[in-house]
Amino acid sequence: MSAHDDGTRPHGGGGESRAARWRAWWRWKPEAISARFVALVAGIIFFFLAVLTQGVLPFIEPSARTSEVTAVVRTDYGQLKWMLSDATDYTPTQRLGRQVYLREGCWYCHSQYVRPVTGETRRWGPVSEAGEYAYDVPHLFGTRRIGPDLTRVGLKFSNEWHFAHFWNPRELLPDSIMAPYRGLFDTPRDPVKIVDDGAGNRTLENNAITQKLFDFASKVQIKLTPNPGGLLFVPLEARDKAPVILIPNNEYIGNTVMIAAETKELESLIAYLQKLGMNRGKWRDVFEPQQLEVTQATLPRSSEWIAYGRVVYERRCLGCHGVKGDGNGPAATFLYRQRPRSFAAAVFKFRLTKEPVPTDGDLLRTITRGVRGTAMPPWYELPLTDRLAVIQYIKYELAVDRSDPAKPYSFFIEEPPGAPLYIQRPPAPSQQILARGKEVWRIAKCWECHGNTGKGDGEKAAGLKDDLGFPIPPADLTTGQFKSGPAVEDIFRTMTTGLSGTPMPNYRDSLPEEDRWALAYYVLSLSAFTDPITGEPLPIASADRTALNDPKLQADTPDKAYIPNGRAQRTGGSKAARGNPREEATAKQPQAAAKENER
């Protein structure tokens, strides 16, 4: 059989050129061009097209590498407004964390992109913008969504929550399918003894293990508490401090502990997670699903609702607050800065009542919003019936003094909450109110705990304790993460009622109402135009700051974001002139600046 007959190669004489032979084969074998061949060629073409459009053009075309984003800033008068700004690059620590995130395959399950549909935006936050990914090479969008989307996870949880989550996700989220990442911790194999330091304190045995984690010669102490199982978390900040084992309420009764110590990789990974979404500024403070204002909301007391509330509690709350509700859950050792609340004494920080016992509306507000800056996350995604049911369980099963088993004392039955306090409409902000608030800050000696600039570094800060004997640092007010809420009404409520169980007193009787409003506005101003992560001032021009401070400027959504004048000039004039939807906000900029200059 000839080569021409068996179809393996084109037929031709010995003197023909190769091109001629192939032309002859093409003429005689058109059926050889099969669908498979066409698909192969098309695949190759599309592969190189994808490389060109996604791998080459983004580095050639500047518009593909925009860093423009819309972000929420707090003005000097406490208002929250959207403005056009630039995304910032990762710090070295955050960049290392991104490498760990990539190495550990976190992006296999977690996406980083909010789609522009209602279900996405109400669950995760504002729609993703191209500028957010200016420094992500390669991008880590992710598509599987086996785990929660993380593009808006920044500052939703505290660092301490993340420590506990990486150690054992199911201690915090029983439904989680995420594996523990204990390899990110330094976990010595041998237990460490708890010993007496000779000065009335309990400390750890000074040996080869603990010498790597502490400085036993230091005069500065760090107080750490094991969980009921004997696990002790040791943060990086303990390296230059002497350890003190603090167990004021017999949180642990053993004489040895197993150590789980923070590492640089873990610190960096959490720093990266806290950065995600924060190029959009203080957006969480205007996130509608997380907002809740309510004074009364309850379910009728019944054994069925209490039983259902117990199920919710055991699935969602037990990891931090413990089986007995005493704030001593298995994750509590990781929450070394601010311990979880103990429900046993019915002492609640956030309320709108004159007496310490809160209403169901107060509890619902706290559960829904969470407590910013702490390990208590917002639970707005939890069904309303679940939130109301767990309130019933907390009130009637956990907030009970059982020191006398024969006569348990139920606080919510014996001391029912009184009528909610009335908060009137806040006065309009002004420079005069801010000036008065600064004076009240001095008179009320807020600086003694919070420091002169509000960073929580006052002269009394180091020795503050909560009602259970644990250290409780004053809030850093420059970050804008306010535990009770981001609005001036929330700060006023705190000034009026104080924070029960903490050194923060109430000023209901010592300061007149107008002074409490002025102080609330001043407290908000401490985080005006600052970065939500670092608390450092944002690079905003004076003229733009003046324009944003104008109460009449409407910039309450991303599409109405204020456009700085300098940016409009760099892009060839006002974007509003080109039909930009931010026209209303942009048009008011020159007017606001002119009025301020006249003053």
Side-chain angles (χ1 to χ4, degrees):
M1 179 181 290
S2 68
H4 177 73
D5 294 334
D6 65 14
T8 57
R9 59 185 176 87
H11 176 72
E16 292 181 294
S17 67
R18 178 172 296 181
R21 292 198 300 271
W22 277 109
R23 284 195 296 272
W25 177 81
W26 186 272
R27 190 168 55 250
W28 285 100
K29 287 289 185 181
E31 68 276 9
I33 306 177
S34 64
R36 182 179 299 178
F37 179 78
V38 173
L40 175 63
V41 174
I44 294 173
I45 292 173
F46 282 115
F47 171 77
F48 284 105
L49 182 62
V51 171
L52 175 66
T53 57
Q54 299 185 41
V56 178
L57 289 182
F59 290 92
I60 297 175
E61 173 56 45
S63 64
R65 301 199 307 273
T66 179
S67 62
E68 284 191 348
V69 293
T70 56
V72 176
V73 297
R74 188 186 303 281
T75 72
D76 289 318
Y77 296 147
Q79 294 178 305
L80 294 161
K81 296 182 179 181
W82 288 89
M83 71 172 292
L84 195 64
S85 63
D86 286 309
T88 56
D89 199 356
Y90 297 108
T91 65
T93 298
Q94 293 164 353
R95 191 166 295 281
L96 173 59
R98 190 174 190 273
Q99 294 172 1
V100 175
Y101 182 91
L102 182 62
R103 182 195 72 195
E104 297 294 335
C106 304
W107 59 284
Y108 297 159
C109 298
H110 296 285
S111 61
Q112 290 189 26
Y113 190 80
V114 180
R115 282 76 168 171
V117 295
T118 300
E120 300 281 274
T121 57
R122 287 189 60 82
R123 187 177 184 187
W124 307 118
V127 175
S128 293
E129 295 179 348
E132 296 185 71
Y133 307 98
Y135 303 100
D136 286 345
V137 180
H139 70 67
L140 302 176
F141 286 163
T143 56
R144 299 183 70 194
R145 286 207 164 180
I146 293 174
D149 183 278
L150 297 182
T151 196
R152 298 283 177 259
V153 75
L155 300 186
K156 180 177 182 180
F157 308 101
S158 69
N159 290 357
E160 298 164 285
W161 186 94
H162 284 291
F163 292 141
H165 184 247
F166 281 116
W167 180 260
N168 186 354
R170 275 166 289 285
E171 283 183 352
L172 303 177
L173 303 169
D175 299 330
S176 176
I177 61 172
M178 175 175 160
Y181 278 79
R182 295 180 182 176
L184 295 173
F185 294 79
D186 182 2
T187 54
R189 180 177 301 178
D190 298 326
V192 177
K193 291 182 180 179
I194 299 176
V195 297
D196 194 321
D197 68 353
N201 295 320
R202 281 173 284 191
T203 185
L204 295 177
E205 182 182 24
N206 188 341
N207 58 30
I209 294 175
T210 54
Q211 286 173 5
K212 296 178 181 179
L213 303 175
F214 304 98
D215 180 1
F216 284 87
S218 175
K219 295 182 179 180
V220 181
Q221 298 176 336
I222 184 167
K223 298 176 180 179
L224 304 172
T225 302
N227 72 5
L231 178 69
L232 180 69
F233 173 69
V234 178
L236 279 174
E237 66 178 87
R239 298 297 188 268
D240 60 348
K241 299 179 178 66
V244 171
I245 302 302
L246 184 64
I247 314 176
N249 307 290
N250 293 322
E251 284 78 11
Y252 176 61
I253 59 175
N255 55 15
T256 63
V257 294
M258 298 299 298
I259 289 178
E262 182 186 5
T263 62
K264 289 296 294 183
E265 283 196 342
L266 181 58
E267 176 194 46
S268 300
L269 177 57
I270 293 175
Y272 170 68
L273 293 175
Q274 298 291 30
K275 170 70 172 177
L276 296 180
M278 288 299 99
N279 279 318
R280 308 297 296 276
K282 295 178 170 65
W283 69 270
R284 192 172 293 280
D285 289 339
V286 297
F287 187 40
E288 189 272 333
Q290 195 169 320
Q291 306 306 313
L292 180 70
E293 286 296 340
V294 60
T295 55
Q296 291 288 359
T298 190
L299 291 171
R301 181 186 177 188
S302 69
S303 58
E304 291 82 3
W305 280 117
I306 294 173
Y308 181 48
R310 177 173 184 167
V311 173
V312 176
Y313 179 89
E314 290 176 347
R315 292 188 63 79
R316 307 293 182 181
C317 315
L318 184 149
C320 294
H321 293 283
V323 175
K324 300 178 181 179
D326 56 1
N328 194 33
T333 184
F334 297 95
L335 316 184
Y336 68 100
R337 287 185 177 274
Q338 295 188 58
R339 293 279 296 187
R341 180 101 308 245
S342 171
F343 301 122
V347 178
F348 298 88
K349 296 179 181 178
F350 312 108
R351 67 187 194 282
L352 190 57
T353 56
K354 185 176 180 179
E355 302 302 328
V357 178
T359 66
D360 286 16
D362 292 326
L363 296 175
L364 180 62
R365 181 179 60 246
T366 300
I367 293 172
T368 303
R369 290 181 171 190
V371 182
R372 296 294 303 280
T374 77
M376 174 64 180
W379 290 104
Y380 57 86
E381 294 180 54
L382 204 63
L384 179 60
T385 52
D386 285 14
R387 284 175 274 162
L388 291 173
V390 79
I391 288 172
Q392 298 292 303
Y393 180 68
I394 291 171
K395 287 171 55 178
Y396 300 118
E397 292 295 326
L398 299 182
V400 179
D401 182 357
R402 303 183 189 278
S403 55
D404 183 354
K407 295 181 179 180
Y409 187 87
S410 179
F411 290 94
F412 280 87
I413 295 176
E414 304 294 338
E415 305 173 23
L421 297 172
Y422 173 71
I423 295 182
Q424 67 176 1
R425 196 178 192 87
S430 65
Q431 283 294 337
Q432 291 75 20
I433 286 182
L434 288 182
R436 178 56 186 168
K438 186 175 183 178
E439 180 65 14
V440 176
W441 172 276
R442 184 188 64 81
I443 295 173
K445 296 184 178 182
C446 305
W447 50 270
E448 288 186 339
C449 296
H450 292 283
N452 291 323
T453 61
K455 284 188 171 293
D457 55 358
E459 59 186 38
K460 293 184 177 181
L464 297 180
K465 297 181 180 180
D466 66 11
D467 55 337
L468 296 179
F470 291 102
I472 181 167
D476 180 353
L477 302 174
T478 65
T479 65
Q481 291 197 73
F482 301 110
K483 296 177 183 177
S484 62
V488 67
E489 294 91 341
D490 297 315
I491 309 300
F492 177 85
R493 182 178 65 246
T494 298
M495 301 301 174
T496 301
T497 64
L499 297 178
S500 298
T502 78
M504 174 66 189
N506 76 72
Y507 293 99
R508 183 173 60 252
D509 299 324
S510 58
L511 291 177
E513 187 171 306
E514 55 269 24
D515 280 358
R516 278 177 273 147
W517 281 117
L519 183 57
Y521 273 115
Y522 179 71
V523 167
L524 286 177
S525 73
L526 295 174
S527 61
F529 302 107
T530 58
D531 184 280
I533 295 179
T534 66
E536 297 300 315
L538 295 171
I540 299 177
S542 177
D544 294 322
R545 183 164 177 158
T546 299
L548 285 163
N549 277 334
D550 184 355
K552 296 180 181 179
L553 175 67
Q554 297 297 316
D556 54 351
T557 59
D559 61 324
K560 295 180 181 178
Y562 169 83
I563 303 175
N565 286 322
R567 186 180 299 274
Q569 294 169 4
R570 291 197 304 271
T571 56
S574 171
K575 291 189 176 183
R578 301 198 297 272
N580 188 278
R582 304 185 182 97
E583 180 177 357
E584 179 182 356
T586 306
K588 293 184 179 181
Q589 295 173 25
Q591 300 174 12
K595 289 180 181 179
E596 185 64 24
N597 290 334
E598 291 175 1
R599 289 194 290 268

